[in-house]
Amino acid sequence: MSVRRPMVVLVTGCSSGIGRALARELARRGHRVFATARRIEAIAELAPAGIAALTLDVTDAEAVRAAVATVVEQTGRIDLVVSNAGHGLMGPAAELDPAAVREQFDVNVVATVALAREAVPHMVRQGGGRIVTVGSVSGIMTTPFAGAYCASKAALHALTDALRMELAPFGIEVISLQPGGVVSRFGATASGRLADNRPVSSLYAPISGFVERRADEGQRGAMDTEVFARRVVDLITRPRPPRRIRLGIHSRRLPLLAWLLPGKTLDRILSKRYGLDRLRPARG
């Protein structure tokens, strides 16, 4: 796919963080950008940058269909889809509300399928396109108290690999963006969801501080969002983009450790880091 001419781009999850920064950077470089969020007022301030705002709940298949149709009706094409919308569900896996886990996968995984289902036919007719999925290094190294989030990102990585192979014959390139820590509201949102989903009585109450720390951990020393966006856009707009992009704090270190360390060693390190070594079984 040639990127010499301006592209028509749809970016989801633009109310803050990575999505908003990518939309701004793509528009700054002359691409025609459609930014989406569940609440249109959250992205209204993007208009002065020449970015069109669309309301979109990515878990609503009809809304996804309407958003893609709007882009194509207004421009005649859709060249790049950035599937960025997502959130983090934190907490001990055995104490999570199953409904919250389903929502985690609906937003972080199923939404990408819905977007691809609507955008791919248009890309095939126009002779090509690109899809960028926003995963996470958490999908490579699983940590305590983030099991649902890590699982959703691991699933997204696998889905992205399948899409890349399946869509290549049609001239559609699929790129897996796997950020490490990048400045955003992720930690604050995850902490709020943790509070909402915390059971009245938890087995992990003695180490609740470690559980709460995990929700905000990715923001410690995080990469500046604008710097991250510039580097990502450099890569995803190349004539031959990489199949996988890792940027942000620990984006290379954590996958390397997951690959190098024996499983028992990694379990021991992570258990100590998150206070699990302080727990003792109840005595009957």
Side-chain angles (χ1 to χ4, degrees), residues 41-217:
E41 61 269 22
I43 52 177
E45 66 181 52
L46 297 176
I51 299 171
L54 299 175
T55 303
L56 176 59
D57 177 350
V58 295
T59 66
D60 183 337
E62 287 300 321
V64 172
R65 183 175 297 113
V68 172
T70 297
V71 173
V72 175
E73 286 168 6
Q74 292 189 15
T75 68
R77 60 189 303 112
I78 184 166
D79 299 303
L80 172 63
V81 170
V82 181
S83 184
N84 167 74
H87 66 77
L89 175 63
M90 301 294 166
E95 296 182 347
L96 293 175
D97 181 347
V101 177
R102 292 189 190 97
E103 182 194 17
Q104 175 83 117
F105 276 77
D106 280 345
V107 176
N108 290 10
V109 184
V110 179
T112 291
V113 176
L115 277 166
R117 183 180 174 89
E118 297 304 322
V120 163
H122 297 290
M123 291 180 175
V124 171
R125 282 193 290 271
Q126 68 197 30
R130 286 182 182 171
I131 298 172
V132 177
T133 67
V134 182
S136 170
V137 292
S138 293
I140 301 164
M141 176 185 279
T142 301
T143 56
F145 312 132
Y149 176 68
C150 294
S152 72
K153 292 302 186 180
L156 180 60
H157 295 170
L159 176 67
T160 302
D161 287 342
L163 286 170
R164 185 184 63 254
M165 292 183 282
E166 294 167 356
L167 297 178
F170 305 103
I172 299 171
E173 297 158 307
V174 182
I175 303 161
S176 179
L177 176 57
Q178 300 174 5
V182 179
V183 174
S184 71
R185 291 211 306 260
F186 179 91
T189 303
S191 294
R193 290 180 179 274
L194 173 62
D196 292 341
N197 287 280
R198 180 175 294 165
V200 175
S201 177
S202 172
L203 292 170
Y204 303 88
I207 58 168
S208 60
F210 288 90
V211 180
E212 293 164 2
R213 189 180 88 172
R214 176 59 187 91
D216 192 47
E217 190 168 47

